[in-house]
CSV table of all heavy atoms in Angstrom, one decimal:
chain,number,residue,atom,x,y,z
I,119,THR,N,24.2,0.2,-9.6
I,119,THR,CA,23.8,1.2,-10.6
I,119,THR,C,23.8,2.6,-10.1
I,119,THR,O,23.9,3.5,-10.9
I,119,THR,CB,22.4,0.8,-11.2
I,119,THR,OG1,21.5,0.9,-10.1
I,119,THR,CG2,22.3,-0.5,-11.8
I,120,LEU,N,23.6,2.7,-8.8
I,120,LEU,CA,23.5,4.1,-8.2
I,120,LEU,C,24.8,4.8,-8.4
I,120,LEU,O,24.8,6.0,-8.8
I,120,LEU,CB,23.3,4.0,-6.7
I,120,LEU,CG,22.9,5.3,-6.0
I,120,LEU,CD1,21.6,5.8,-6.5
I,120,LEU,CD2,22.7,5.0,-4.5
I,121,TRP,N,26.0,4.2,-8.2
I,121,TRP,CA,27.3,4.9,-8.5
I,121,TRP,C,27.5,5.2,-10.0
I,121,TRP,O,28.0,6.2,-10.3
I,121,TRP,CB,28.4,4.0,-7.9
I,121,TRP,CG,28.5,4.0,-6.4
I,121,TRP,CD1,28.1,3.1,-5.6
I,121,TRP,CD2,29.0,5.1,-5.6
I,121,TRP,NE1,28.3,3.4,-4.3
I,121,TRP,CE2,28.8,4.7,-4.3
I,121,TRP,CE3,29.5,6.4,-5.9
I,121,TRP,CZ2,29.2,5.5,-3.2
I,121,TRP,CZ3,29.8,7.2,-4.8
I,121,TRP,CH2,29.7,6.8,-3.5
I,122,ALA,N,27.0,4.3,-10.8
I,122,ALA,CA,27.1,4.5,-12.2
I,122,ALA,C,26.2,5.7,-12.6
I,122,ALA,O,26.6,6.5,-13.5
I,122,ALA,CB,26.6,3.3,-13.0
I,123,ASN,N,25.0,5.8,-11.9
I,123,ASN,CA,24.2,7.0,-12.2
I,123,ASN,C,24.8,8.3,-11.8
I,123,ASN,O,24.7,9.3,-12.5
I,123,ASN,CB,22.9,6.8,-11.4
I,123,ASN,CG,22.0,5.7,-11.9
I,123,ASN,OD1,22.1,5.3,-13.1
I,123,ASN,ND2,21.1,5.2,-11.1
I,124,TYR,N,25.5,8.3,-10.6
I,124,TYR,CA,26.2,9.5,-10.2
I,124,TYR,C,27.2,9.9,-11.3
I,124,TYR,O,27.3,11.1,-11.6
I,124,TYR,CB,27.0,9.2,-8.9
I,124,TYR,CG,26.1,9.0,-7.7
I,124,TYR,CD1,26.7,8.6,-6.5
I,124,TYR,CD2,24.8,9.3,-7.7
I,124,TYR,CE1,25.9,8.4,-5.3
I,124,TYR,CE2,24.0,9.1,-6.6
I,124,TYR,CZ,24.5,8.7,-5.4
I,124,TYR,OH,23.8,8.5,-4.3
I,125,VAL,N,28.1,9.0,-11.7
I,125,VAL,CA,29.1,9.4,-12.7
I,125,VAL,C,28.5,9.9,-14.0
I,125,VAL,O,28.9,10.9,-14.6
I,125,VAL,CB,30.0,8.2,-13.0
I,125,VAL,CG1,31.0,8.5,-14.1
I,125,VAL,CG2,30.8,7.8,-11.7
I,126,SER,N,27.5,9.1,-14.5
I,126,SER,CA,26.9,9.5,-15.8
I,126,SER,C,26.1,10.7,-15.7
I,126,SER,O,26.1,11.5,-16.6
I,126,SER,CB,26.0,8.3,-16.3
I,126,SER,OG,24.9,8.0,-15.4
I,127,ASP,N,25.4,10.9,-14.6
I,127,ASP,CA,24.5,12.2,-14.5
I,127,ASP,C,25.4,13.4,-14.4
I,127,ASP,O,25.1,14.4,-15.1
I,127,ASP,CB,23.7,12.1,-13.2
I,127,ASP,CG,22.6,11.0,-13.3
I,127,ASP,OD1,22.5,10.4,-14.4
I,127,ASP,OD2,21.9,10.8,-12.3
I,128,TYR,N,26.5,13.3,-13.6
I,128,TYR,CA,27.4,14.5,-13.5
I,128,TYR,C,28.1,14.8,-14.8
I,128,TYR,O,28.2,15.9,-15.3
I,128,TYR,CB,28.4,14.2,-12.4
I,128,TYR,CG,29.3,15.4,-12.1
I,128,TYR,CD1,28.8,16.6,-11.5
I,128,TYR,CD2,30.7,15.4,-12.4
I,128,TYR,CE1,29.6,17.7,-11.3
I,128,TYR,CE2,31.5,16.5,-12.1
I,128,TYR,CZ,30.9,17.6,-11.6
I,128,TYR,OH,31.7,18.7,-11.3
I,129,SER,N,28.6,13.7,-15.5
I,129,SER,CA,29.2,13.9,-16.8
I,129,SER,C,28.2,14.4,-17.8
I,129,SER,O,28.6,15.3,-18.6
I,129,SER,CB,29.8,12.5,-17.3
I,129,SER,OG,30.7,12.0,-16.3
I,130,GLY,N,27.0,13.9,-17.8
I,130,GLY,CA,26.0,14.4,-18.7
I,130,GLY,C,25.7,15.9,-18.5
I,130,GLY,O,25.5,16.6,-19.5
I,131,ALA,N,25.7,16.3,-17.2
I,131,ALA,CA,25.4,17.7,-17.0
I,131,ALA,C,26.5,18.6,-17.5
I,131,ALA,O,26.2,19.7,-18.1
I,131,ALA,CB,25.3,18.0,-15.5
I,132,LEU,N,27.8,18.2,-17.4
I,132,LEU,CA,28.9,18.9,-18.0
I,132,LEU,C,28.8,18.9,-19.5
I,132,LEU,O,29.1,20.0,-20.1
I,132,LEU,CB,30.2,18.4,-17.5
I,132,LEU,CG,30.4,18.5,-16.0
I,132,LEU,CD1,31.8,17.8,-15.6
I,132,LEU,CD2,30.4,19.9,-15.5
I,133,VAL,N,28.5,17.8,-20.1
I,133,VAL,CA,28.4,17.8,-21.5
I,133,VAL,C,27.3,18.7,-22.0
I,133,VAL,O,27.5,19.5,-23.0
I,133,VAL,CB,28.1,16.3,-22.0
I,133,VAL,CG1,27.7,16.3,-23.5
I,133,VAL,CG2,29.3,15.4,-21.8
I,134,VAL,N,26.2,18.7,-21.4
I,134,VAL,CA,25.1,19.6,-21.7
I,134,VAL,C,25.5,21.1,-21.6
I,134,VAL,O,25.3,21.9,-22.4
I,134,VAL,CB,23.8,19.4,-20.9
I,134,VAL,CG1,22.8,20.5,-21.1
I,134,VAL,CG2,23.2,18.0,-21.2
I,135,GLY,N,26.2,21.4,-20.5
I,135,GLY,CA,26.7,22.7,-20.3
I,135,GLY,C,27.7,23.2,-21.4
I,135,GLY,O,27.5,24.3,-21.9
I,136,VAL,N,28.6,22.3,-21.7
I,136,VAL,CA,29.5,22.7,-22.8
I,136,VAL,C,28.7,22.9,-24.1
I,136,VAL,O,29.0,23.8,-24.9
I,136,VAL,CB,30.6,21.6,-23.0
I,136,VAL,CG1,31.4,21.8,-24.3
I,136,VAL,CG2,31.5,21.6,-21.8
I,137,THR,N,27.7,22.0,-24.4
I,137,THR,CA,26.9,22.1,-25.6
I,137,THR,C,26.2,23.5,-25.6
I,137,THR,O,26.2,24.2,-26.7
I,137,THR,CB,25.9,21.0,-25.7
I,137,THR,OG1,26.6,19.7,-25.6
I,137,THR,CG2,25.1,21.1,-27.0
Side-chain angles (χ1 to χ4, degrees):
T119 59
L120 193 62
W121 286 103
N123 290 340
Y124 289 170
V125 174
S126 61
D127 292 356
Y128 186 68
S129 300
L132 295 180
V133 169
V134 171
V136 171
T137 303

